[in-house]
Amino acid sequence: MRHRVTLIPGDGIGPEVAEAARLVVDATGVAIDWDIQIAGAQALEREGTPLPDRVLEAVRRSRTAIKGPITTPVGTGFRSVNVALRQELDLFAAIRPARRYAGLPTRHPSVDLVTIRENTEDLYRGIEFERGAPDTARLREVVFDIAGYRIAEDAGVTVKPISITGTRRVVRAGLDFARRNGRRLVTVGHKANIMPFSDGVFLATAMEVAEEFPEVEVRDMHIDEMAMWLALEPETLDVLLLPNLYGDIVSDISAGLVGGLGVAPGANLGWEYAVFEPVHGSAPDIAGRGVADPIAMILTAAMMLRHLAETDAADRVEAAVSRLLEEGRTLTPDLGGFAGTMDVAGAVANLAG
Ligand code: NAI
């Protein structure tokens, strides 16, 4: 079956790692019609916006997209393209696997984690009250009237909304991911004892939805205890299901446990659309030199193949990366080697083809 995929190369090292990933996907023999859409710095220059409508329309048409990182322009008045894409396409679940590969020096011998992060609510919703602003003074009065609590006059405030609706959909997507990928255990991270009306909603909703997935074991853990196990014995954890802020922090810890940003893939999923992107940014410090590590983008492409039900091709790409890292001969400088981006891509493509 042929697939249509929107490819957004991005900027900085984006086009380099996107070309590498495309080479590898094409080598698997899976038939893909690539619909290439420019966004980011180049689009800003040519069309006056880093995220033209045609890009969103293209993703809506193909439903599946893979993107390289995009620089967040500073001082232009434009918000992050990455955040805008997630919001416009309602990509409410971020999925970030972190697996340890033989050959990469790490502290723990066998780590195989997947962080599933709620992408739209929580302290990252953007409900901010600035210290000293008139709205903040009003908020302080309301909180005092309702709760009898005096927020300090010199405090800034961030609001943390967590809803049943917002939680239910990420839990369903997360447990569905766990079931489809044969994962044994899902741990819900929270601090419901301290924040019963926000984290409490997340926990209660997750446990209720879990009953729809009897084949997946679901348990819960305080987020601070999870932090301890991540440092001590990460191999005892499997899939981590988390509200937005905890998910952001924990996915970076997990990437650090397995060798860093150069090998950390990711996906943003909604009910209708899926946008696959590595965890790393546009790395302006090494852009244009052909030395960016394409592994994160190649593993991101493998996640995309799995999403397209091209399981055999996804398995081959992951096995090829595994072998390449274990052999340790063709590595980019971030992993201690001397190879270029396309050398690594070519080697993976040969092994996966
Ligand atoms: P970054 O991830 O681009 O770079 C951090 C460090 O990791 C740099 O030293 C870089 O050279 C290195 N690095 C990252 N990816 C690498 C790779 N594949 N191979 C080898 N080394 C790699 O983070 P930074 O510098 O904070 O952000 C740069 C720009 O990227 C910013 O404009 C930021 O907003 C944007 N960004 C975009 C993201 C996205 O498109 N989803 C995600 C994160 C940041």
Side-chain angles (χ1 to χ4, degrees):
M1 180 187 164
R2 291 193 80 79
H3 305 277
R4 184 186 173 88
V5 171
T6 298
L7 173 66
I8 305 168
D11 49 43
I13 60 170
E16 300 166 50
V17 294
E19 190 191 342
R22 184 174 157 179
L23 180 82
V24 171
V25 171
D26 286 343
T28 64
V30 173
I32 294 197
D33 294 327
W34 299 101
D35 167 30
I36 298 174
Q37 295 288 336
I38 304 298
Q42 219 182 328
L44 180 62
E45 204 174 289
R46 288 191 198 158
E47 297 165 67
T49 166
L51 183 60
D53 283 345
R54 64 167 166 78
V55 179
L56 289 166
E57 280 157 24
V59 181
R60 288 193 179 106
R61 266 197 311 275
S62 53
R63 307 173 84 85
T64 304
I66 181 164
K67 71 174 272 293
I70 294 179
T71 309
T72 301
V74 181
T76 56
F78 288 102
R79 60 186 176 152
S80 155
V81 170
N82 312 300
V83 173
L85 264 174
R86 288 171 206 161
Q87 286 176 358
E88 296 286 338
L89 300 169
D90 206 14
L91 304 169
F92 53 79
I95 301 201
R96 295 179 166 181
R99 173 179 155 200
R100 197 245 168 190
Y101 287 95
L104 292 186
T106 54
R107 283 173 207 279
H108 297 280
S110 54
V111 176
D112 186 4
L113 297 163
V114 180
T115 302
I116 296 176
R117 162 188 169 192
E118 199 286 321
N119 239 354
T120 65
E121 297 197 308
D122 194 357
L123 286 166
Y124 282 15
R125 188 68 194 87
I127 311 172
E128 297 281 335
F129 290 87
E130 189 182 358
R131 177 180 59 85
D135 283 353
T136 311
R138 270 177 58 208
L139 179 78
R140 289 175 54 244
E141 279 167 28
V142 171
V143 171
F144 182 69
D145 283 352
I146 298 172
Y149 180 79
R150 272 186 210 287
I151 296 176
E153 240 174 86
D154 57 355
V157 179
T158 301
V159 177
K160 172 167 170 156
I162 294 191
S163 69
I164 293 179
T165 337
T167 304
R168 200 177 266 153
R169 58 189 195 169
V170 71
V171 175
R172 286 216 173 102
L175 295 183
D176 183 53
F177 173 90
R179 180 167 61 188
R180 277 188 292 114
N181 290 280
R183 310 293 301 212
R184 61 189 164 83
L185 172 70
V186 174
T187 307
V188 179
H190 63 91
K191 201 67 182 167
N193 54 336
I194 307 292
M195 288 169 279
F197 304 135
S198 49
D199 281 22
V201 168
F202 193 86
L203 174 62
T205 309
M207 288 311 179
E208 197 187 303
V209 174
E211 288 177 17
E212 296 166 22
F213 295 80
E215 61 279 63
V216 183
E217 186 188 342
V218 181
R219 65 179 183 186
D220 74 282
M221 190 181 273
H222 286 150
I223 191 67
D224 43 352
E225 186 187 349
M226 185 180 282
M228 191 270 295
W229 286 115
L230 278 167
L232 193 65
E233 282 180 25
E235 58 280 5
T236 59
L237 295 163
D238 183 0
V239 176
L240 311 173
L241 183 51
L242 301 164
N244 208 337
L245 169 68
Y246 307 146
D248 192 18
I249 298 169
V250 164
S251 59
D252 271 36
I253 296 176
S254 307
L257 284 170
V258 297
L261 285 174
V263 295
N268 295 297
L269 306 182
W271 289 133
E272 291 187 73
Y273 313 112
V275 177
F276 294 81
E277 62 174 340
V279 176
H280 66 72
S282 56
D285 51 337
I286 57 167
R289 294 181 17 215
V291 295
D293 193 339
I295 299 282
M297 188 71 170
I298 290 170
L299 291 174
T300 298
M303 288 179 78
M304 183 191 78
L305 288 169
R306 216 171 278 292
H307 174 81
L308 295 170
E310 297 288 356
T311 314
D312 171 63
D315 287 346
R316 276 186 283 135
V317 172
E318 284 173 3
V321 167
S322 203
R323 221 173 112 192
L324 181 102
L325 292 174
E326 189 166 1
E327 286 172 1
R329 281 197 297 269
T330 316
L331 301 178
T332 44
D334 59 307
L335 299 179
F338 303 97
T341 307
M342 292 313 283
D343 300 326
V344 172
V348 176
N350 278 338
L351 291 166

